[in-house]
């Protein structure tokens, strides 16, 4: 990735050191991708905007004070590693647990955390077999329908916790479908990277 050519949005107000870490992470993804297939070919071609910036926006939806963050289905580190890089500067009290059942991707996540000196624990488990994480904030990107994500959030969030889920054009349909099984408060805001997408912040999750 040509670091000089990337566009940094004004809302991503971070230090040069943090930007450098984001770029370094992109380099790691590009290095490992031919072996593990972390993102698609199209994703590699637009890695910065499509994955890094799209992931970074979730950080600014999180509440102040939550110290335990859990990212489910972390895959190639989007959003988990990106969020941990931002937190290192902006909220250094936050620690991250990244959950990824694919052992090869879990190795990549652990190596990225080591190279970038991030406060990250990687768990290579299936989500449904994972012990409750008692997280303040929970994220998942391109993992599952909202109805299933609400079940994960109900299990792994503190009662006062918040879930942050980016969703595509079908977000409204997913909300309606999830409400058949779950009761929750939901705020929807337009994605900063896709006019047809939304970021859902969800709390107070209970079975309907």
């Amino acid at each position: 990735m040509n670091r000089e050519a990337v566009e940094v949005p004004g809302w991503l107000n971070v230090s040069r050191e943090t930007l450098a870490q984001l770029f370094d992470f992109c380099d790691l993804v590009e290095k490992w991708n031919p072996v593990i297939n972390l993102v698609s070919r199209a994703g590699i071609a637009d890695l910065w905007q499509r994955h890094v910036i799209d992931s970074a926006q979730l950080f600014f939806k999180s509440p102040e004070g939550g110290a335990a963050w859990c990212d489910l289905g972390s895959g190639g580190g989007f959003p988990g590693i990106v969020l941990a890089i931002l937190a290192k500067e902006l909220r250094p009290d936050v620690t991250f647990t990244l959950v990824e059942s694919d052992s090869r991707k879990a190795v990549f996540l652990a190596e990225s955390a080591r190279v970038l000196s991030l406060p990250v624990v990687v768990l290579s488990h299936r989500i449904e077999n994972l012990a409750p994480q008692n997280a303040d904030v929970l994220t998942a990107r391109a993992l599952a329908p909202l109805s299933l994500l609400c079940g994960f959030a109900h299990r792994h969030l503190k009662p006062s916790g918040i879930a942050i889920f980016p969703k595509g054009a079908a977000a409204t349909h997913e909300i309606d479908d999830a409400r058949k099984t779950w009761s929750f408060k939901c705020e929807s805001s337009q994605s900063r990277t896709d006019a047809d997408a939304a970021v859902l912040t969800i709390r107070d999750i209970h079975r309907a």
Side-chain angles (χ1 to χ4, degrees):
M1 185 181 73
N2 182 359
R3 302 186 181 198
E4 301 300 323
V6 300
E7 216 174 290
V8 180
W11 54 263
L12 189 60
N13 186 19
V14 294
S15 66
R16 291 181 181 178
E17 290 76 15
T18 296
L19 282 177
Q21 285 222 309
L22 291 171
F23 295 149
D24 289 345
F25 177 56
C26 289
D27 291 344
L28 286 169
V29 173
E30 290 177 337
K31 178 181 177 181
W32 285 62
N33 202 61
V35 178
I36 302 183
N37 193 31
L38 300 166
V39 298
S40 68
R41 184 175 299 178
I44 280 289
D46 191 20
L47 191 59
W48 179 256
Q49 183 70 16
R50 187 168 178 175
H51 291 289
V52 175
I53 299 302
D54 190 58
S55 295
Q57 67 175 320
L58 306 186
F59 184 86
F60 300 97
K61 297 293 183 181
S62 65
E64 293 291 337
W69 196 311
C70 182
D71 183 53
L72 302 179
S74 296
F78 305 105
I81 294 292
V82 172
L83 298 173
I85 291 171
L86 296 179
K88 187 176 178 181
E89 174 189 349
L90 301 176
R91 288 174 56 192
D93 59 316
V94 177
T95 58
F96 286 79
T97 299
L98 274 50
V99 182
E100 174 52 54
S101 62
D102 185 315
S103 59
R104 297 182 306 162
K105 291 180 180 178
V107 169
F108 166 75
L109 294 169
E111 177 64 8
S112 297
R114 185 194 68 80
V115 170
L116 300 171
S117 300
L118 302 175
V120 166
V121 173
V122 178
L123 300 180
S124 185
H125 295 292
R126 294 190 63 83
I127 298 168
E128 54 267 32
N129 298 330
L130 189 67
Q133 294 298 295
N134 202 34
D136 295 297
V137 183
L138 184 138
T139 46
R141 181 174 178 263
L143 177 65
L146 183 60
S147 56
L148 187 56
L149 293 176
C150 283
F152 294 155
H154 183 256
R155 177 176 176 81
H156 294 297
L157 274 178
K158 291 179 180 177
S160 60
I162 183 172
I164 306 171
F165 300 135
K167 285 293 176 182
T172 300
H173 173 74
E174 288 199 41
I175 293 169
D176 291 341
D177 190 56
R179 290 199 191 279
K180 296 174 183 177
T181 309
W182 299 98
S183 171
F184 52 86
K185 295 177 182 176
C186 177
E187 296 177 16
S188 178
S189 58
Q190 185 175 312
S191 169
R192 295 176 187 256
T193 60
D194 183 346
D196 295 325
V199 177
L200 307 182
T201 54
I202 295 177
R203 65 184 81 227
D204 297 337
I205 303 167
H206 304 282
R207 292 194 179 275

